């Protein structure tokens, strides 16, 4: 997974540009909302339009993020705004959630 750091203006500009490209899906995750397990899973599942059977746990996240076929996109971009908030929560979990996103690059 390629990680880039953007300020807010750059982030919104990049997202706006990418949303207009064909066969491209842009997910926007608000890191400041990812402060509990429930809120983290709700934010990620909404941004990536997970199916209703999503189990809201790390294993279900890994399974769904490795199979995003329902998005019908050739390219998927995931932007995490206020990533420091997301990463603060993730750090307490041994970076398990970051590892899921990194593994997803292979798919």
């Amino acid at each position: 997974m390629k990680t880039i750091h953007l300020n807010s203006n750059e982030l919104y500009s990049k997202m706006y540009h990418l949303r207009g490209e064909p066969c491209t899906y842009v997910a926007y995750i608000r890191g400041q909302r990812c402060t509990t397990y429930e809120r983290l899973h709700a934010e990620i599942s909404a941004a990536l339009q997970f199916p209703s059977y999503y189990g809201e746990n790390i294993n279900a996240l890994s399974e769904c993020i490795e199979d995003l076929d329902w998005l019908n996109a050739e390219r998927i971009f995931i932007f995490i705004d206020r990533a420091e908030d997301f990463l603060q929560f993730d750090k307490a979990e041994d970076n398990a959630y970051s590892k899921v996103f990194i593994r997803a690059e292979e798919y």
Side-chain angles (χ1 to χ4, degrees):
M1 179 173 284
K2 182 179 180 182
T3 303
I4 58 173
H5 299 276
L6 304 170
N7 66 39
S8 291
N9 290 335
E10 293 170 326
L11 171 72
Y12 297 125
S13 175
K14 187 75 167 168
M15 285 175 39
Y16 179 80
H17 172 72
L18 288 169
R19 283 191 173 153
E21 292 188 15
C23 302
T24 300
Y25 183 83
V26 177
Y28 175 65
I29 296 171
R30 296 165 291 193
Q32 69 271 23
R33 292 195 176 198
C34 299
T35 55
T36 67
Y37 292 109
E38 294 81 13
R39 293 180 78 184
L40 178 136
H41 287 284
E43 185 69 16
I44 293 172
S45 65
L48 292 167
Q49 299 180 11
F50 283 172
S52 60
Y53 60 80
Y54 175 61
E56 297 188 3
N57 60 60
I58 191 73
N59 293 329
L61 174 63
S62 182
E63 184 178 310
C64 282
I65 208 164
E66 292 172 4
D67 176 23
L68 295 170
D69 290 342
W70 58 85
L71 295 177
N72 294 318
E74 293 175 15
R75 299 181 325 152
I76 299 169
F77 293 87
I78 301 171
F79 290 93
I80 303 175
D81 194 12
R82 302 260 320 252
E84 64 277 5
D85 294 332
F86 171 84
L87 294 172
Q88 185 66 28
F89 175 81
D90 190 37
K91 186 177 181 182
E93 298 302 314
D94 249 352
N95 301 314
Y97 291 90
S98 296
K99 291 173 187 173
V100 167
F101 283 100
I102 291 168
R103 280 195 314 270
E105 173 68 14
E106 299 172 10
Y107 295 92

